[in-house]
Amino acid sequence: MSIVLKRTGQKMPLVGMGTWKLPNAECADNIYHAIKVGVRLIDAASDYGNEKEVAEGIQRALKEGIVKREDIFITSKVWNTNHAHDHVKEAVKYQLAQWGLDYFDLYLVHFPIALKYVDPAHRYPAGWFGDDGKTVELQNTPFQETWQAMEELVDEGLVKNIGVSNVAGTLLLDILRYARIPPQVLQVELHPYLTQQALVNLAKQLDIPITAYSSLGPQGYFEMGFKGTVSLLQHDLIVNTAKAHGKTPGQVILRWSTQRGIAVIPKTSVDTLTIENQACNSFDLTEEEINAISGLNINLRLNDPVELDPRLGIFA
Ligand SMILES: NC(=O)c1ccc[n+]([C@@H]2O[C@H](COP(=O)([O-])OP(=O)(O)OC[C@H]3O[C@@H](n4cnc5c(N)ncnc54)[C@H](OP(=O)(O)O)[C@@H]3O)[C@@H](O)[C@H]2O)c1
């Protein structure tokens, strides 16, 4: 199952695999295994610090002829410290060299936040803070400059599709005022505790497909009793729905997204869970079940940069 991207007609798989916090030492093996069991979309980013290792897994699968390059949809992202026109280009070229690839299928602006440029020779990945490790240093680059540089990456064949991440409605509408190439994908945090229905409705109107990240809700947060919530995977409604279908809680949560046309990129370093996640489209939830799961919404955002610095209130 896939989503056909509007401008290029390229097919983006509805279920892929994320790579944030995939331990570097195991990355190559995890990704190689994932491709072997059918994963065809890998979501990466310079900020995750493991692109080289993720690429190793893909290169192994390519060399063994398990897949051809055109069979795998590779997404990466430009980091906040590379928002100036020339730095966007520098970033994609640097990342492609790390991957040993000629192009990315999708390249996203990771956050609508411009931070002071960091030379990769000085620090890579650059992260959120300056050299003192605690101060966020902003840079005055308007988003329009960044987007125009993204469009040029498409012109130059370095990326096939471009999109945005962590962008709310106001900015999305503004980008469309000047975009020569509209965003092909919007990647945002989305799970039953944060359904973002207004944004989902807007993106639908604008014909921009959504990829949900943290679609299971990153489990570490819940184990710490994050904001008094229980893990979605252990929530009675999810567990009982899973039992009713003979599926796992993870599959129910992922299907709640994919059945509504929202792509998912669950991350796991457990090979059996990769297989389980990949099979999440093997059944259908009823409309009542989808609505009941949507009813779990409590607007619980797990990933909000404002917690690092009040000037980063992009969802305010
Ligand atoms: N654009 C952005 O700003 C942004 C932000 C965050 C994430 N992302 C992307 O989205 C991807 C997914 O988000 P995420 O990693 O935050 O969260 P996630 O995929 O929703 O959840 C990952 C957690 O769930 C566990 N897990 C995975 N599949 C499971 C299953 N079937 N049953 C039980 N536990 C399962 C994993 O543990 P184990 O590894 O131990 O299995 C991990 O702790 C990231 O890897 C990244 O590529 C993008």
Side-chain angles (χ1 to χ4, degrees):
M1 284 187 197
S2 54
I3 294 173
V4 178
L5 301 183
K6 212 164 101 185
R7 204 185 64 87
T8 55
Q10 206 178 339
K11 287 183 180 162
M12 181 175 85
L14 205 49
V15 183
M17 176 161 164
T19 60
W20 186 33
K21 297 187 183 162
L22 260 192
N24 291 47
E26 296 150 35
C27 247
D29 288 343
N30 287 147
I31 295 297
Y32 171 74
H33 172 266
I35 293 172
K36 262 190 135 169
V37 299
V39 172
R40 292 292 177 268
L41 183 159
I42 304 293
D43 181 85
S46 63
D47 186 50
Y48 304 160
N50 57 10
E51 282 194 296
K52 230 172 149 179
E53 290 80 1
V54 171
E56 260 175 55
I58 293 181
Q59 293 295 354
R60 206 189 300 164
L62 290 172
K63 271 196 200 99
E64 289 183 15
I66 297 169
V67 279
K68 296 195 200 82
R69 170 66 186 93
E70 58 271 29
D71 298 331
I72 301 203
F73 192 101
I74 301 177
T75 303
S76 191
K77 310 181 190 90
V78 61
W79 185 240
N80 307 341
T81 48
N82 277 73
H83 273 216
H85 179 275
D86 293 354
H87 296 151
V88 173
K89 293 201 179 176
E90 177 196 272
V92 79
K93 286 181 180 165
Y94 187 90
Q95 289 171 258
L96 284 170
Q98 286 212 320
W99 284 81
L101 294 177
D102 301 329
Y103 68 89
F104 289 125
D105 296 281
L106 176 64
Y107 199 52
L108 304 172
V109 183
H110 205 147
F111 284 91
I113 292 171
L115 298 179
K116 187 178 160 195
Y117 173 71
V118 177
D119 186 330
H122 178 64
R123 188 173 65 247
Y124 191 88
W128 287 96
F129 303 113
D131 282 343
D132 67 0
K134 56 183 183 196
T135 310
V136 171
E137 298 173 310
L138 298 178
Q139 178 176 286
N140 220 357
T141 307
F143 198 84
Q144 186 167 2
E145 175 180 330
T146 309
W147 191 252
Q148 281 165 353
M150 295 287 283
E151 293 175 324
E152 289 171 30
L153 303 185
V154 176
D155 299 337
E156 291 169 28
L158 295 166
V159 307
K160 293 215 184 281
N161 302 282
I162 49 178
V164 288
S165 181
N166 298 301
V167 159
T170 319
L171 180 56
L172 196 58
L173 290 165
D174 196 41
I175 296 168
L176 292 173
R177 292 193 181 106
Y178 52 74
R180 180 165 57 83
I181 301 176
Q184 298 296 289
V185 174
L186 168 65
Q187 185 179 118
V188 288
E189 179 178 341
L190 199 153
H191 42 76
Y193 282 152
L194 182 71
T195 55
Q196 304 229 54
Q197 199 52 52
L199 186 62
V200 169
N201 294 346
L202 176 66
K204 198 170 181 185
Q205 285 292 315
L206 300 173
D207 213 1
I208 300 175
I210 290 186
T211 297
Y213 78 68
S214 302
S215 49
L216 298 163
Q219 298 312 305
Y221 286 79
F222 299 118
E223 281 152 22
M224 294 182 293
F226 189 69
K227 297 191 179 167
T229 51
V230 294
S231 162
L232 281 167
L233 293 162
Q234 285 154 21
H235 194 288
D236 284 350
L237 177 66
I238 303 290
V239 171
N240 291 334
T241 309
K243 276 186 195 147
H245 287 274
K247 299 290 171 185
T248 67
Q251 289 175 319
V252 166
I253 303 170
L254 297 174
R255 190 65 182 135
W256 170 81
S257 282
T258 62
Q259 205 169 316
R260 295 176 304 136
I262 295 171
V264 292
I265 43 171
K267 166 261 163 186
T268 179
S269 45
V270 180
D271 288 346
T272 49
L273 289 183
T274 303
I275 297 170
E276 185 180 310
N277 292 344
Q278 193 59 25
C280 71
N281 289 337
S282 60
F283 70 110
D284 285 334
L285 296 164
T286 64
E287 206 179 323
E288 291 73 31
E289 287 169 332
I290 289 183
N291 292 340
I293 295 170
S294 300
L296 295 179
N297 182 45
I298 46 171
N299 299 324
L300 177 72
R301 194 181 291 281
L302 305 161
N303 192 347
D304 191 342
V306 82
E307 288 176 15
L308 303 176
D309 187 306
R311 296 170 300 163
L312 304 182
I314 52 174
F315 305 117

